[in-house]
Amino acid sequence: MLKGNVPILATAFDAEGEVDFASIERLVKFLLQQGVDGLALFGNASEGYALTLGEKEALFACVKNLTGDLPLVAAAGGAASAVAIEDITRIQRWGAQVAMVNPPSVVKPGPEEIVNFYRDVCAACDIDIMIQDAPLMTGVNIPVATLVTLCQSFPAIKYIKVEQPPTTLKITALKQALGDSVGLFGGLNAGFLYEELRRGVIGTMPACEFPDVINMILQAWQHNPREAQSLFYRYLPFLRYGVQPGIGVAIHKTVLHRAGIFTTDVVREPAKRLDAVTRDELQDLTDVLPLAVFGAQV
């Protein structure tokens, strides 16, 4: 069962804007050294929306070659069930163990259309499904009652990534209704991780430049929740900084670039690069809050 620290893998680009596989290999090796529980590809923090199909296939093969049996989650889906089924079938063929699937969002669905969408996906695809409940990104709200119906109706749905603020309230409602039958994950760059652990999540899916911080919090939670709380509150300014809309991807990449893992901090539009003031602020944060990435040997 998927659980624990499952970071979203950032995608490196070279100075010409092409996928930089050498940098991606360094990042994957760093994450493996830190001991993550899985990796997720093609999510928002991966700039999956800006990757071509060929780039996705090559990137997945690169990661799979390095990670062996480590569970791989891949974001897949589409604006209609037929499109989503094709995409999910593809990432399963590549070797993904879990498909992270948003509801369709071009035409905003209501609860009935959401149920029909996941019904079709689960009937056609033989892979564990994670529902990504991220209305800030998709503009689609999935009510708790709809999520409960989905999980109780379709056994292929094994996980929900809960990213609708306030995540804590939704996690509690889902936990009360579903118990342990479905694994709940936090997102939003782990910005509510301590509270989400108290509410019953089994893991989190943050950005990938601070796996050591997440591991420390998760390990502390097992034996000393107060220590986990202290660690979380210490790093909260950094977690908060990396979730800013429009520049979050650039923040993650700037850290990886400064650490020498990524050759550049290039992002693909419409993501934005950081201005000088933001870079200085980020430098101040990471000077105060040490990260293992700055001592990485890969």
Side-chain angles (χ1 to χ4, degrees):
M1 184 175 186
L2 190 71
K3 62 180 180 179
N5 183 7
V6 185
I8 309 289
L9 193 75
T11 303
F13 300 116
D14 62 23
E16 286 71 45
E18 300 299 317
V19 177
D20 177 0
F21 290 99
S23 290
I24 291 168
E25 287 185 8
R26 286 193 293 271
L27 175 57
V28 172
K29 289 175 181 177
F30 164 68
L31 292 167
L32 293 175
Q33 288 172 2
Q34 291 298 312
V36 297
D37 300 298
L39 285 177
L41 293 85
F42 314 143
N44 196 39
S46 303
E47 295 174 272
Y49 53 81
L51 297 172
T52 68
L53 179 57
E55 289 171 337
K56 285 185 176 181
E57 183 173 15
L59 197 158
F60 195 101
C62 171
V63 173
K64 183 66 176 174
N65 184 56
L66 294 168
T67 55
D69 294 331
L70 187 75
L72 296 180
V73 180
S81 57
V83 180
I85 289 165
E86 182 179 78
D87 198 32
I88 294 165
T89 302
R90 184 184 298 114
I91 59 102
Q92 181 182 12
R93 185 172 67 248
W94 292 346
Q97 285 80 29
V98 179
M100 183 169 66
V101 184
N102 277 300
S105 59
V106 176
V107 177
K108 306 302 181 193
E112 181 179 355
E113 290 79 21
I114 291 172
V115 170
N116 292 344
F117 172 82
Y118 285 102
R119 176 202 63 199
D120 294 346
V121 163
C122 291
C125 301
D126 183 23
I127 188 173
D128 288 350
I129 300 294
M130 173 185 287
I131 298 175
Q132 185 171 15
D133 177 30
L136 296 180
M137 179 175 66
T138 64
V140 177
N141 175 50
I142 311 179
V144 168
T146 303
L147 287 167
V148 171
T149 295
L150 288 168
C151 294
Q152 292 178 340
S153 302
F154 310 120
I157 298 173
K158 305 295 187 184
Y159 311 99
I160 304 172
K161 185 182 180 188
V162 184
E163 296 191 282
Q164 180 178 11
T167 61
T168 50
L169 300 185
K170 198 160 195 178
I171 288 165
T172 292
L174 289 168
K175 194 71 176 175
Q176 289 174 343
L178 297 169
D180 296 330
S181 64
V182 173
L184 304 179
F185 276 80
L188 297 177
N189 210 39
F192 296 89
L193 177 56
Y194 173 70
E195 294 83 6
E196 290 170 347
L197 287 167
R198 292 187 63 187
R199 304 274 184 142
V201 298
I202 63 170
T204 187
M205 300 175 70
C208 62
E209 73 271 23
F210 51 98
D212 50 312
V213 175
I214 301 301
N215 284 343
M216 287 190 296
I217 294 169
L218 293 178
Q219 289 162 12
W221 175 252
Q222 297 301 317
H223 61 81
N224 188 347
R226 285 299 183 190
E227 181 185 351
Q229 181 188 44
S230 178
L231 285 165
F232 172 72
Y233 286 162
R234 181 186 179 197
Y235 278 91
L236 184 55
F238 176 73
L239 306 180
R240 169 185 64 95
Y241 208 77
V243 79
Q244 297 179 80
I247 62 170
V249 170
I251 288 169
H252 310 317
K253 286 192 170 183
T254 298
V255 173
L256 293 168
H257 180 222
R258 280 179 35 215
I261 289 182
F262 276 13
T263 303
T264 78
D265 59 2
V266 170
V267 296
R268 282 185 176 172
E269 292 184 349
K272 300 176 178 65
R273 299 188 74 170
L274 300 187
D275 62 273
V277 176
T278 304
R279 288 178 184 276
D280 287 345
E281 290 172 349
L282 184 57
Q283 179 77 55
D284 287 345
L285 266 177
T286 52
D287 284 348
V288 172
L289 300 172
L291 300 173
V293 70
F294 290 109
Q297 302 292 321
V298 291

